[in-house]
Amino acid sequence: MDIYGETFESRLMLGTARYPSPDVLKAAIAASGAQIVTVSLRRESAGERAGQAFWDIIRETGCRVLPNTAGCHSVSEAVTTAQMAREVFGTDWVKIEVIGDADTLQPDLFGLVEATRVLSEEGFKVLAYTTEDLVAADRLVEAGCRVLMPWGSPIGSARGLNNVYGLRAMRARFPDLTLIVDAGLGVPSHAAHAMELGYDGVLLSSAVALAGDPVGMAKGFRLAVEAGRLGFTSGPLAPRDMAEPSTPVLGLASFA
């Protein structure tokens, strides 16, 4: 998976919030094989000592850190949070979230494009949490974004891919852009489905953190992502409306 010129073997990205303990978090990251983890600035700096301890845990994993602007509801809030995150984490990468609806946590696409433009001009490498809307995607690319992260379904809903047609259309529109399905994945089969559509990766958090066995679920998602990618790259059969026998009929004996 390529992100702004850097190549990663793992196509699974993992959030770091809401785990039952630091040890479970570390074990889940290891089981997932993830090389990139997302971190909220609010989480890291919740308290001076607690924040430093959390940051030490993340460093120990050896993963690349992707700060996000989770919880931001305006352009100014998202931009300021991104600027602060760059200072705290020492990276130009940022996952931009500008939430427009409190119930669905759907992105504010207008604000997202504006924030992306501002941050791109400041040298940030933006990964944009968006919907499958193609017009918004075009505007984000024009604003400087090179990694689009359309939602599968609302954050934390565990509903999987609500709009397969829209996600497939986005993949077709941007064949050379890095696309990562973000949000709403609840079980490994959801991740496999996203990968079978040709997406470059998936990002998930609650599905692992809140599972009965986070470590086992992390491993399940890792295997699903690998299987889905193989399913896409190996040339799957096209769907048919009618049956087609799997056993050749030529050469069979005739008893007529």
Side-chain angles (χ1 to χ4, degrees):
M1 178 172 65
D2 180 88
I3 297 181
Y4 285 101
E6 297 188 40
T7 302
F8 298 86
E9 292 184 7
S10 174
R11 295 178 180 273
L12 173 60
M13 302 163 70
L14 206 60
T16 55
R18 306 183 71 183
Y19 283 83
S21 72
D23 288 340
V24 172
L25 169 60
K26 289 190 290 185
I29 292 174
S32 73
Q35 295 172 293
I36 301 171
V37 295
T38 61
V39 176
S40 168
L41 181 64
R42 289 172 172 81
R43 166 68 174 171
E44 198 279 338
S45 43
E48 183 178 351
R49 295 180 62 186
Q52 184 59 50
F54 177 76
W55 186 216
D56 289 342
I57 291 170
I58 298 303
R59 278 203 202 88
E60 290 172 7
T61 68
C63 291
R64 179 67 181 265
V65 171
L66 173 61
N68 65 42
T69 62
C72 292
H73 291 259
S74 69
V75 173
S76 60
E77 189 180 9
V79 168
T80 300
T81 301
Q83 293 167 336
M84 289 168 33
R86 178 160 61 180
E87 296 300 318
V88 171
F89 298 109
T91 178
D92 289 331
W93 282 19
V94 64
K95 177 192 167 189
I96 287 296
E97 298 182 24
V98 182
I99 301 302
D101 182 78
D103 291 327
T104 64
L105 300 182
Q106 180 172 331
D108 172 357
L109 299 180
F110 306 99
L112 180 64
V113 171
E114 184 178 348
T116 296
R117 180 172 292 108
V118 170
L119 292 171
S120 294
E121 290 174 354
E122 293 185 5
F124 281 89
K125 296 174 180 176
V126 175
L127 296 82
Y129 169 60
T130 183
T131 68
E132 65 278 14
D133 186 288
L134 294 181
V135 176
D138 283 331
R139 299 294 183 270
L140 286 166
V141 172
E142 291 170 2
C145 182
R146 296 295 175 265
V147 180
L148 298 176
M149 306 182 76
W151 65 352
S153 50
I155 294 172
S157 68
R159 298 187 63 85
L161 308 185
N162 274 356
N163 185 358
V164 173
Y165 169 81
L167 291 172
R168 186 179 286 117
M170 180 175 279
R171 179 72 282 179
R173 173 70 68 87
F174 303 102
D176 300 320
L177 207 66
T178 298
L179 301 180
I180 298 167
V181 172
D182 176 16
L185 305 183
V187 291
S189 59
H190 294 161
H193 193 184
M195 300 305 296
E196 288 166 356
L197 294 178
Y199 275 72
D200 297 284
V202 298
L203 169 61
L204 52 103
S205 182
S206 298
V208 171
L210 302 183
D213 177 6
V215 177
M217 187 64 78
K219 181 178 180 180
F221 270 103
R222 173 175 62 80
L223 296 173
V225 168
E226 293 172 1
R229 182 65 181 178
L230 283 172
F232 171 71
T233 58
S234 299
L237 280 175
R240 293 172 54 89
D241 292 328
M242 302 296 290
E244 180 179 359
S246 57
T247 302
V249 295
L250 293 177
L252 292 178
S254 174
F255 298 100

